[in-house]
Amino acid sequence: MAALPASGSTAASGKAADIPRQEGSVSAADLLAQVSQCHKISHGKYRINKDAPATVPVCDAGAAVFWKADMDVDCDGQVTDLCNANTDPAFQNDTAFHQSNGDPLIADQLPYVVVPGHSKIWNFARSGIKGGGVVAVIYNDTVQYAVVGDIGPKHIIGEASYATADALGIDPDPSTGGTDSGVTYILFKHTQVSPIEDHDAAVSLGDSLAQQFVQGG
């Protein structure tokens, strides 16, 4: 089944989307039903920020791994009007994974998710997760597809790009935006979008994977 077309981005406006955009044909409810129980594969739990207690496990769900956390906004990557050292005090002009031309990703244009760095808690590569891997991000009953685009701190989880937040109706401001809870990240194992910057390809592949996932495949 072909993926439903994604709506146009509001990132250029610098404001959060007024109406979150559902991508693909699989509902948030159907995806969430597959991740209602956690089979913990992480050796311990993650913090949602450096001052929070460690409460978030990484869970296995067969064809995917998942976690339920907050969303901090990542603006790292190429310098743009929306993502730069002035808009984000923690800005870095690089991402762990790069576009097909070798340049860093563009956080206010590409929906991407940040995975925690390898540690004794969890090694994402050993779970079949790689740069460009497909992620279904769910918030307020809306599904947005993204790719694994950056690597974050070893003990913190729950971060995605400006474009991801914006598309889900979450305030994308890297300094004051994000949300404290309610976000589910479902990362499909052994997948990779190529080129990584092709969001339409991520939606198409993500929708196909999601259909198999909810059918138990």
mmCIF file of all heavy atoms in Angstrom, residues 73-96 103-109 112 150-151 159-162 172-176:
data_model
loop_
_atom_site.group_PDB
_atom_site.id
_atom_site.type_symbol
_atom_site.label_atom_id
_atom_site.label_comp_id
_atom_site.label_asym_id
_atom_site.label_seq_id
_atom_site.Cartn_x
_atom_site.Cartn_y
_atom_site.Cartn_z
ATOM 1 N N VAL A 73 14.449 19.375 21.973
ATOM 2 C CA VAL A 73 14.602 19.765 20.574
ATOM 3 C C VAL A 73 16.071 19.884 20.208
ATOM 4 O O VAL A 73 16.823 20.634 20.832
ATOM 5 C CB VAL A 73 13.872 21.089 20.288
ATOM 6 C CG1 VAL A 73 14.081 21.518 18.843
ATOM 7 C CG2 VAL A 73 12.379 20.949 20.583
ATOM 8 N N ASP A 74 16.474 19.122 19.200
ATOM 9 C CA ASP A 74 17.849 19.149 18.694
ATOM 10 C C ASP A 74 17.899 20.042 17.459
ATOM 11 O O ASP A 74 17.168 19.813 16.492
ATOM 12 C CB ASP A 74 18.290 17.727 18.342
ATOM 13 C CG ASP A 74 19.765 17.620 17.983
ATOM 14 O OD1 ASP A 74 20.430 18.663 17.876
ATOM 15 O OD2 ASP A 74 20.251 16.489 17.799
ATOM 16 N N CYS A 75 18.752 21.047 17.507
ATOM 17 C CA CYS A 75 18.926 21.942 16.362
ATOM 18 C C CYS A 75 20.295 21.749 15.707
ATOM 19 O O CYS A 75 20.692 22.534 14.841
ATOM 20 C CB CYS A 75 18.784 23.406 16.818
ATOM 21 S SG CYS A 75 17.483 24.334 15.951
ATOM 22 N N ASP A 76 21.014 20.712 16.117
ATOM 23 C CA ASP A 76 22.366 20.502 15.589
ATOM 24 C C ASP A 76 22.345 20.184 14.103
ATOM 25 O O ASP A 76 21.401 19.593 13.579
ATOM 26 C CB ASP A 76 23.060 19.371 16.343
ATOM 27 C CG ASP A 76 23.366 19.723 17.784
ATOM 28 O OD1 ASP A 76 23.284 20.914 18.134
ATOM 29 O OD2 ASP A 76 23.687 18.804 18.559
ATOM 30 N N GLY A 77 23.442 20.548 13.438
ATOM 31 C CA GLY A 77 23.582 20.292 12.013
ATOM 32 C C GLY A 77 23.968 21.555 11.277
ATOM 33 O O GLY A 77 24.661 22.425 11.823
ATOM 34 N N GLN A 78 23.522 21.678 10.054
ATOM 35 C CA GLN A 78 23.865 22.850 9.254
ATOM 36 C C GLN A 78 23.273 24.118 9.873
ATOM 37 O O GLN A 78 22.176 24.103 10.425
ATOM 38 C CB GLN A 78 23.350 22.679 7.832
ATOM 39 C CG GLN A 78 24.034 21.564 7.058
ATOM 40 C CD GLN A 78 23.618 21.541 5.604
ATOM 41 O OE1 GLN A 78 23.523 22.585 4.944
ATOM 42 N NE2 GLN A 78 23.382 20.340 5.072
ATOM 43 N N VAL A 79 24.013 25.201 9.761
ATOM 44 C CA VAL A 79 23.554 26.489 10.271
ATOM 45 C C VAL A 79 22.439 27.027 9.373
ATOM 46 O O VAL A 79 22.575 27.098 8.151
ATOM 47 C CB VAL A 79 24.716 27.505 10.312
ATOM 48 C CG1 VAL A 79 24.210 28.885 10.716
ATOM 49 C CG2 VAL A 79 25.800 27.032 11.279
ATOM 50 N N THR A 80 21.315 27.384 10.010
ATOM 51 C CA THR A 80 20.196 27.989 9.292
ATOM 52 C C THR A 80 19.688 29.179 10.103
ATOM 53 O O THR A 80 20.173 29.441 11.206
ATOM 54 C CB THR A 80 19.040 26.982 9.102
ATOM 55 O OG1 THR A 80 18.459 26.691 10.384
ATOM 56 C CG2 THR A 80 19.531 25.686 8.458
ATOM 57 N N ASP A 81 18.702 29.865 9.575
ATOM 58 C CA ASP A 81 18.119 30.988 10.320
ATOM 59 C C ASP A 81 17.487 30.528 11.625
ATOM 60 O O ASP A 81 17.435 31.277 12.607
ATOM 61 C CB ASP A 81 17.062 31.699 9.469
ATOM 62 C CG ASP A 81 17.658 32.473 8.309
ATOM 63 O OD1 ASP A 81 18.877 32.728 8.329
ATOM 64 O OD2 ASP A 81 16.905 32.811 7.377
ATOM 65 N N LEU A 82 16.994 29.284 11.655
ATOM 66 C CA LEU A 82 16.304 28.777 12.840
ATOM 67 C C LEU A 82 17.216 28.005 13.775
ATOM 68 O O LEU A 82 16.923 27.922 14.976
ATOM 69 C CB LEU A 82 15.135 27.878 12.408
ATOM 70 C CG LEU A 82 14.038 28.565 11.592
ATOM 71 C CD1 LEU A 82 13.041 27.534 11.083
ATOM 72 C CD2 LEU A 82 13.336 29.626 12.410
ATOM 73 N N CYS A 83 18.254 27.425 13.254
ATOM 74 C CA CYS A 83 19.170 26.606 14.049
ATOM 75 C C CYS A 83 20.589 27.137 13.934
ATOM 76 O O CYS A 83 21.256 26.969 12.893
ATOM 77 C CB CYS A 83 19.114 25.152 13.589
ATOM 78 S SG CYS A 83 17.582 24.295 14.005
ATOM 79 N N ASN A 84 21.041 27.794 14.992
ATOM 80 C CA ASN A 84 22.378 28.380 15.013
ATOM 81 C C ASN A 84 22.748 28.683 16.456
ATOM 82 O O ASN A 84 21.956 28.451 17.375
ATOM 83 C CB ASN A 84 22.420 29.645 14.143
ATOM 84 C CG ASN A 84 21.367 30.656 14.540
ATOM 85 O OD1 ASN A 84 21.409 31.221 15.627
ATOM 86 N ND2 ASN A 84 20.386 30.900 13.649
ATOM 87 N N ALA A 85 23.925 29.200 16.666
ATOM 88 C CA ALA A 85 24.413 29.448 18.026
ATOM 89 C C ALA A 85 23.621 30.527 18.746
ATOM 90 O O ALA A 85 23.631 30.580 19.984
ATOM 91 C CB ALA A 85 25.893 29.827 17.982
ATOM 92 N N ASN A 86 22.923 31.363 18.006
ATOM 93 C CA ASN A 86 22.114 32.407 18.641
ATOM 94 C C ASN A 86 20.760 31.866 19.108
ATOM 95 O O ASN A 86 20.250 32.276 20.157
ATOM 96 C CB ASN A 86 21.896 33.572 17.666
ATOM 97 C CG ASN A 86 23.168 34.329 17.388
ATOM 98 O OD1 ASN A 86 23.990 34.525 18.275
ATOM 99 N ND2 ASN A 86 23.349 34.756 16.145
ATOM 100 N N THR A 87 20.180 30.966 18.346
ATOM 101 C CA THR A 87 18.875 30.413 18.722
ATOM 102 C C THR A 87 19.009 29.254 19.698
ATOM 103 O O THR A 87 18.070 28.958 20.438
ATOM 104 C CB THR A 87 18.119 29.920 17.474
ATOM 105 O OG1 THR A 87 18.859 28.864 16.847
ATOM 106 C CG2 THR A 87 17.904 31.060 16.484
ATOM 107 N N ASP A 88 20.169 28.597 19.695
ATOM 108 C CA ASP A 88 20.382 27.415 20.535
ATOM 109 C C ASP A 88 21.749 27.511 21.204
ATOM 110 O O ASP A 88 22.779 27.306 20.556
ATOM 111 C CB ASP A 88 20.297 26.156 19.667
ATOM 112 C CG ASP A 88 20.510 24.876 20.461
ATOM 113 O OD1 ASP A 88 20.634 24.954 21.698
ATOM 114 O OD2 ASP A 88 20.546 23.802 19.838
ATOM 115 N N PRO A 89 21.798 27.805 22.500
ATOM 116 C CA PRO A 89 23.077 27.938 23.200
ATOM 117 C C PRO A 89 23.926 26.666 23.161
ATOM 118 O O PRO A 89 25.158 26.730 23.295
ATOM 119 C CB PRO A 89 22.661 28.264 24.641
ATOM 120 C CG PRO A 89 21.295 28.855 24.520
ATOM 121 C CD PRO A 89 20.659 28.138 23.372
ATOM 122 N N ALA A 90 23.288 25.521 22.962
ATOM 123 C CA ALA A 90 24.020 24.251 22.916
ATOM 124 C C ALA A 90 24.267 23.781 21.478
ATOM 125 O O ALA A 90 24.642 22.632 21.249
ATOM 126 C CB ALA A 90 23.247 23.176 23.674
ATOM 127 N N PHE A 91 24.100 24.683 20.517
ATOM 128 C CA PHE A 91 24.202 24.325 19.107
ATOM 129 C C PHE A 91 25.575 23.764 18.737
ATOM 130 O O PHE A 91 26.608 24.275 19.159
ATOM 131 C CB PHE A 91 23.917 25.559 18.243
ATOM 132 C CG PHE A 91 24.055 25.310 16.766
ATOM 133 C CD1 PHE A 91 23.056 24.643 16.071
ATOM 134 C CD2 PHE A 91 25.175 25.743 16.075
ATOM 135 C CE1 PHE A 91 23.174 24.408 14.710
ATOM 136 C CE2 PHE A 91 25.303 25.517 14.711
ATOM 137 C CZ PHE A 91 24.304 24.845 14.032
ATOM 138 N N GLN A 92 25.545 22.700 17.933
ATOM 139 C CA GLN A 92 26.751 22.152 17.322
ATOM 140 C C GLN A 92 26.509 22.047 15.820
ATOM 141 O O GLN A 92 25.435 21.604 15.396
ATOM 142 C CB GLN A 92 27.083 20.774 17.896
ATOM 143 C CG GLN A 92 27.357 20.780 19.392
ATOM 144 C CD GLN A 92 27.699 19.403 19.909
ATOM 145 O OE1 GLN A 92 28.529 18.689 19.336
ATOM 146 N NE2 GLN A 92 27.038 18.996 20.987
ATOM 147 N N ASN A 93 27.495 22.433 15.027
ATOM 148 C CA ASN A 93 27.294 22.496 13.578
ATOM 149 C C ASN A 93 27.595 21.170 12.885
ATOM 150 O O ASN A 93 28.100 21.143 11.755
ATOM 151 C CB ASN A 93 28.118 23.622 12.967
ATOM 152 C CG ASN A 93 29.616 23.426 13.142
ATOM 153 O OD1 ASN A 93 30.048 22.489 13.826
ATOM 154 N ND2 ASN A 93 30.408 24.291 12.549
ATOM 155 N N ASP A 94 27.289 20.075 13.559
ATOM 156 C CA ASP A 94 27.510 18.758 12.982
ATOM 157 C C ASP A 94 26.484 17.786 13.548
ATOM 158 O O ASP A 94 25.868 18.048 14.593
ATOM 159 C CB ASP A 94 28.923 18.263 13.300
ATOM 160 C CG ASP A 94 29.391 17.160 12.344
ATOM 161 O OD1 ASP A 94 28.654 16.834 11.391
ATOM 162 O OD2 ASP A 94 30.494 16.629 12.555
ATOM 163 N N THR A 95 26.279 16.696 12.848
ATOM 164 C CA THR A 95 25.449 15.598 13.328
ATOM 165 C C THR A 95 26.245 14.307 13.159
ATOM 166 O O THR A 95 27.168 14.232 12.342
ATOM 167 C CB THR A 95 24.124 15.497 12.541
ATOM 168 O OG1 THR A 95 24.397 15.553 11.123
ATOM 169 C CG2 THR A 95 23.177 16.626 12.925
ATOM 170 N N ALA A 96 25.881 13.290 13.902
ATOM 171 C CA ALA A 96 26.620 12.029 13.841
ATOM 172 C C ALA A 96 26.539 11.384 12.465
ATOM 173 O O ALA A 96 27.485 10.743 12.004
ATOM 174 C CB ALA A 96 26.092 11.072 14.903
ATOM 175 N N ASP A 103 27.472 16.515 3.908
ATOM 176 C CA ASP A 103 27.172 17.616 4.817
ATOM 177 C C ASP A 103 26.331 17.126 6.003
ATOM 178 O O ASP A 103 25.609 16.141 5.895
ATOM 179 C CB ASP A 103 26.392 18.712 4.085
ATOM 180 C CG ASP A 103 27.241 19.443 3.061
ATOM 181 O OD1 ASP A 103 28.480 19.390 3.158
ATOM 182 O OD2 ASP A 103 26.646 20.061 2.146
ATOM 183 N N PRO A 104 26.403 17.851 7.140
ATOM 184 C CA PRO A 104 25.533 17.507 8.272
ATOM 185 C C PRO A 104 24.063 17.627 7.891
ATOM 186 O O PRO A 104 23.703 18.265 6.897
ATOM 187 C CB PRO A 104 25.917 18.543 9.336
ATOM 188 C CG PRO A 104 27.286 19.010 8.952
ATOM 189 C CD PRO A 104 27.314 18.965 7.460
ATOM 190 N N LEU A 105 23.204 17.026 8.694
ATOM 191 C CA LEU A 105 21.769 17.115 8.468
ATOM 192 C C LEU A 105 21.262 18.527 8.764
ATOM 193 O O LEU A 105 21.965 19.335 9.386
ATOM 194 C CB LEU A 105 21.044 16.096 9.349
ATOM 195 C CG LEU A 105 21.490 14.641 9.190
ATOM 196 C CD1 LEU A 105 20.694 13.730 10.112
ATOM 197 C CD2 LEU A 105 21.384 14.180 7.745
ATOM 198 N N ILE A 106 20.055 18.821 8.322
ATOM 199 C CA ILE A 106 19.448 20.135 8.539
ATOM 200 C C ILE A 106 18.267 19.943 9.484
ATOM 201 O O ILE A 106 17.201 19.462 9.089
ATOM 202 C CB ILE A 106 18.990 20.773 7.212
ATOM 203 C CG1 ILE A 106 20.154 20.831 6.213
ATOM 204 C CG2 ILE A 106 18.429 22.175 7.461
ATOM 205 C CD1 ILE A 106 19.753 21.334 4.831
ATOM 206 N N ALA A 107 18.442 20.325 10.737
ATOM 207 C CA ALA A 107 17.485 19.980 11.791
ATOM 208 C C ALA A 107 16.113 20.603 11.598
ATOM 209 O O ALA A 107 15.106 20.019 12.003
ATOM 210 C CB ALA A 107 18.045 20.381 13.158
ATOM 211 N N ASP A 108 16.035 21.778 10.998
ATOM 212 C CA ASP A 108 14.722 22.400 10.846
ATOM 213 C C ASP A 108 14.025 21.975 9.560
ATOM 214 O O ASP A 108 12.913 22.409 9.281
ATOM 215 C CB ASP A 108 14.798 23.927 10.961
ATOM 216 C CG ASP A 108 15.677 24.583 9.913
ATOM 217 O OD1 ASP A 108 15.730 24.091 8.775
ATOM 218 O OD2 ASP A 108 16.334 25.590 10.241
ATOM 219 N N GLN A 109 14.663 21.097 8.797
ATOM 220 C CA GLN A 109 14.033 20.581 7.584
ATOM 221 C C GLN A 109 13.795 19.077 7.635
ATOM 222 O O GLN A 109 12.807 18.585 7.092
ATOM 223 C CB GLN A 109 14.900 20.902 6.360
ATOM 224 C CG GLN A 109 15.017 22.381 6.060
ATOM 225 C CD GLN A 109 15.819 22.656 4.799
ATOM 226 O OE1 GLN A 109 15.980 21.795 3.938
ATOM 227 N NE2 GLN A 109 16.332 23.868 4.678
ATOM 228 N N TYR A 112 14.407 14.009 12.346
ATOM 229 C CA TYR A 112 15.326 12.961 12.795
ATOM 230 C C TYR A 112 15.257 12.817 14.302
ATOM 231 O O TYR A 112 14.801 13.705 15.016
ATOM 232 C CB TYR A 112 16.759 13.202 12.298
ATOM 233 C CG TYR A 112 17.538 14.344 12.918
ATOM 234 C CD1 TYR A 112 18.026 14.281 14.223
ATOM 235 C CD2 TYR A 112 17.854 15.489 12.165
ATOM 236 C CE1 TYR A 112 18.773 15.315 14.773
ATOM 237 C CE2 TYR A 112 18.598 16.522 12.712
ATOM 238 C CZ TYR A 112 19.059 16.428 14.008
ATOM 239 O OH TYR A 112 19.790 17.454 14.554
ATOM 240 N N ASP A 150 21.207 11.488 14.777
ATOM 241 C CA ASP A 150 22.262 12.031 15.625
ATOM 242 C C ASP A 150 22.424 11.130 16.846
ATOM 243 O O ASP A 150 21.543 10.324 17.169
ATOM 244 C CB ASP A 150 21.925 13.465 16.045
ATOM 245 C CG ASP A 150 23.159 14.298 16.378
ATOM 246 O OD1 ASP A 150 24.282 13.771 16.301
ATOM 247 O OD2 ASP A 150 22.987 15.482 16.721
ATOM 248 N N ILE A 151 23.559 11.283 17.514
ATOM 249 C CA ILE A 151 23.850 10.538 18.736
ATOM 250 C C ILE A 151 24.026 11.530 19.866
ATOM 251 O O ILE A 151 24.729 12.536 19.725
ATOM 252 C CB ILE A 151 25.118 9.682 18.574
ATOM 253 C CG1 ILE A 151 24.924 8.642 17.460
ATOM 254 C CG2 ILE A 151 25.472 8.981 19.890
ATOM 255 C CD1 ILE A 151 26.185 7.850 17.146
ATOM 256 N N GLU A 159 15.009 12.841 22.484
ATOM 257 C CA GLU A 159 15.395 14.057 21.757
ATOM 258 C C GLU A 159 15.156 13.835 20.267
ATOM 259 O O GLU A 159 15.380 12.751 19.737
ATOM 260 C CB GLU A 159 16.869 14.381 22.013
ATOM 261 C CG GLU A 159 17.327 15.704 21.430
ATOM 262 C CD GLU A 159 18.767 16.045 21.802
ATOM 263 O OE1 GLU A 159 19.460 15.199 22.383
ATOM 264 O OE2 GLU A 159 19.190 17.185 21.495
ATOM 265 N N ALA A 160 14.705 14.882 19.599
ATOM 266 C CA ALA A 160 14.464 14.814 18.162
ATOM 267 C C ALA A 160 14.661 16.197 17.551
ATOM 268 O O ALA A 160 14.714 17.210 18.263
ATOM 269 C CB ALA A 160 13.060 14.295 17.866
ATOM 270 N N SER A 161 14.753 16.228 16.247
ATOM 271 C CA SER A 161 15.076 17.474 15.550
ATOM 272 C C SER A 161 13.934 18.482 15.594
ATOM 273 O O SER A 161 12.770 18.148 15.846
ATOM 274 C CB SER A 161 15.427 17.181 14.095
ATOM 275 O OG SER A 161 14.280 16.740 13.374
ATOM 276 N N TYR A 162 14.300 19.716 15.324
ATOM 277 C CA TYR A 162 13.347 20.824 15.211
ATOM 278 C C TYR A 162 12.179 20.419 14.309
ATOM 279 O O TYR A 162 11.001 20.634 14.658
ATOM 280 C CB TYR A 162 14.084 22.031 14.623
ATOM 281 C CG TYR A 162 13.313 23.317 14.529
ATOM 282 C CD1 TYR A 162 13.670 24.420 15.299
ATOM 283 C CD2 TYR A 162 12.248 23.461 13.643
ATOM 284 C CE1 TYR A 162 12.969 25.620 15.210
ATOM 285 C CE2 TYR A 162 11.547 24.649 13.537
ATOM 286 C CZ TYR A 162 11.911 25.726 14.320
ATOM 287 O OH TYR A 162 11.231 26.904 14.228
ATOM 288 N N PRO A 172 8.962 23.909 18.700
ATOM 289 C CA PRO A 172 10.279 23.475 18.254
ATOM 290 C C PRO A 172 11.433 24.373 18.698
ATOM 291 O O PRO A 172 12.578 24.125 18.299
ATOM 292 C CB PRO A 172 10.144 23.496 16.731
ATOM 293 C CG PRO A 172 9.232 24.657 16.484
ATOM 294 C CD PRO A 172 8.237 24.646 17.628
ATOM 295 N N ASP A 173 11.147 25.392 19.507
ATOM 296 C CA ASP A 173 12.231 26.279 19.937
ATOM 297 C C ASP A 173 13.280 25.470 20.695
ATOM 298 O O ASP A 173 12.968 24.813 21.688
ATOM 299 C CB ASP A 173 11.671 27.383 20.838
ATOM 300 C CG ASP A 173 12.713 28.442 21.154
ATOM 301 O OD1 ASP A 173 13.706 28.117 21.833
ATOM 302 O OD2 ASP A 173 12.533 29.594 20.740
ATOM 303 N N PRO A 174 14.545 25.485 20.251
ATOM 304 C CA PRO A 174 15.563 24.646 20.884
ATOM 305 C C PRO A 174 15.911 25.067 22.306
ATOM 306 O O PRO A 174 16.465 24.264 23.070
ATOM 307 C CB PRO A 174 16.776 24.789 19.961
ATOM 308 C CG PRO A 174 16.565 26.098 19.273
ATOM 309 C CD PRO A 174 15.084 26.234 19.104
ATOM 310 N N SER A 175 15.587 26.290 22.679
ATOM 311 C CA SER A 175 15.888 26.777 24.022
ATOM 312 C C SER A 175 14.739 26.588 24.999
ATOM 313 O O SER A 175 14.940 26.240 26.162
ATOM 314 C CB SER A 175 16.274 28.264 23.977
ATOM 315 O OG SER A 175 17.452 28.464 23.240
ATOM 316 N N THR A 176 13.513 26.809 24.530
ATOM 317 C CA THR A 176 12.361 26.794 25.440
ATOM 318 C C THR A 176 11.274 25.804 25.051
ATOM 319 O O THR A 176 10.290 25.653 25.766
ATOM 320 C CB THR A 176 11.725 28.203 25.491
ATOM 321 O OG1 THR A 176 11.279 28.560 24.160
ATOM 322 C CG2 THR A 176 12.731 29.230 25.964
#
